[in-house]
């Protein structure tokens, strides 16, 4: 059997050793990084219904969380400021708590059908300003608060990752029924899931109803 454990002699431990493995970065890849939102970045954000937000816990652990809404749900206040509504979730408040402890944040915007992504790095604060929250109301329900991001870096990321994954290609979409439902997985991980199929179906239906009742 092949030994797949990490062998110390092959670990890359410093930046010099890392960069020695790769060709020199192209000048354009360095110069494309902007310190503010230009018209192209604004257009991309206006079309994006989904982003991932990366934060850090107080003890330095990394965390990434998804955010989604209709296209344009992220408000551009000006060339240096974004506003992300916080919609109802599981109330763990991981990202929000992390941002209070450490405001450094990374965002990755995706648009269905686009292979390019937009990366934004900056610093975040949380706001309860009712005038700002009302701008992001859906079905007459404003968010409880919003994440305000001051932009430090913004740049478009090339298409290779999404093309390799064929993320948007329906021919490569997987059948969700090949894995258990979310409810079943969580119950398996935390307690004994019911063996009765009817009871499991009832619990799954309850989650779907909760989705419908608490989207906003």
């Amino acid at each position: 059997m092949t030994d797949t454990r990490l062998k110390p002699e092959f670990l890359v431990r410093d930046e010099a050793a890392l960069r020695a493995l790769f060709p020199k970065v192209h000048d354009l890849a360095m110069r494309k990084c902007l310190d503010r939102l230009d018209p192209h970045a604004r257009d991309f954000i206006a079309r994006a219904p989904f982003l991932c937000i990366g934060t850090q816990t107080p003890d330095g652990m990394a965390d990434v969380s998804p955010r989604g809404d209709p296209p344009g749900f992220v408000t551009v206040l000006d060339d240096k400021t974004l506003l992300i509504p916080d919609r109802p979730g599981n109330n763990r408040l991981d990202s929000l708590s992390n941002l209070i402890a450490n405001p450094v944040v990374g965002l990755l915007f995706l648009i269905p059908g686009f292979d390019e992504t937009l990366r934004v790095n900056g610093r975040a604060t949380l706001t309860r300003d009712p005038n700002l929250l009302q701008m992001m109301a859906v079905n007459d329900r404003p968010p409880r608060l919003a994440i305000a991001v001051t932009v430090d870096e913004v740049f478009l990321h090339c298409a290779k990752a999404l093309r390799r994954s064929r993320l948007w290609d329906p021919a490569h979409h997987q059948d969700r029924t090949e894995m258990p439902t979310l409810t079943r997985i969580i119950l398996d991980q935390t307690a004994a899931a019911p063996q009765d199929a009817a009871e499991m179906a009832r619990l799954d239906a309850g989650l779907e109803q909760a989705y419908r009742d608490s989207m906003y």
Side-chain angles (χ1 to χ4, degrees):
M1 181 180 292
T2 302
D3 185 353
T4 57
R5 292 173 296 179
L6 295 177
K7 298 179 176 63
E9 64 268 28
F10 296 114
L11 299 181
V12 180
R13 300 183 183 275
D14 59 67
E15 187 172 352
L18 170 66
R19 293 198 175 276
L21 296 172
F22 296 89
K24 185 178 179 181
V25 63
H26 194 286
D27 178 62
L28 190 59
M30 297 297 293
R31 290 192 293 112
K32 72 177 182 179
C33 184
L34 307 177
D35 66 355
R36 63 190 61 249
L37 301 166
D38 73 339
H40 298 299
R42 284 172 171 258
D43 190 19
F44 199 102
I45 291 168
R47 297 170 182 269
F50 182 85
L51 65 84
C52 293
I53 178 168
T55 60
Q56 286 189 331
T57 65
D59 56 359
M61 294 287 288
D63 186 74
V64 178
S65 177
R67 294 287 190 274
D69 242 336
F73 75 102
V74 174
T75 300
V76 177
L77 292 181
D78 55 50
D79 290 350
K80 293 286 289 184
T81 313
L82 295 174
L83 207 58
I84 305 169
D86 186 68
R87 303 299 185 194
N90 57 20
N91 294 327
R92 283 177 53 111
L93 308 181
D94 293 327
S95 298
L96 304 181
S97 297
N98 292 345
L99 292 173
I100 289 175
N102 182 347
V104 174
V105 66
L107 308 175
L108 182 70
F109 290 87
L110 286 87
I111 302 174
F114 282 41
D115 288 336
E116 300 81 13
T117 56
L118 183 74
R119 292 169 59 175
V120 176
N121 298 319
R123 292 156 290 116
T125 55
L126 308 181
T127 178
R128 298 185 297 115
D129 185 331
N131 292 327
L132 295 179
L133 298 182
Q134 191 59 44
M135 293 167 52
M136 297 175 287
V138 175
N139 298 334
D140 295 324
R141 296 183 183 179
R144 292 189 180 187
L145 55 75
I147 302 170
V149 177
T150 300
V151 175
D152 291 328
E153 295 182 320
V154 55
F155 57 94
L156 281 163
H157 196 104
C158 77
K160 289 180 180 178
L162 271 69
R163 291 189 180 178
R164 291 186 187 115
S165 66
R166 299 182 179 180
L167 184 64
W168 310 125
D169 185 349
H172 290 267
H173 289 179
Q174 300 185 33
D175 185 353
R176 180 63 183 86
T177 63
E178 292 179 355
M179 283 190 68
T181 64
L182 176 62
T183 304
R184 179 58 185 257
I185 291 172
I186 293 176
L187 288 175
D188 282 344
Q189 293 172 336
T190 59
Q195 298 302 310
D196 181 68
E199 176 62 11
M200 194 67 244
R202 186 188 69 79
L203 294 173
D204 288 335
L207 176 61
E208 289 300 321
Q209 185 62 49
Y211 283 153
R212 291 189 290 271
D213 293 343
S214 62
M215 289 287 283
Y216 298 99

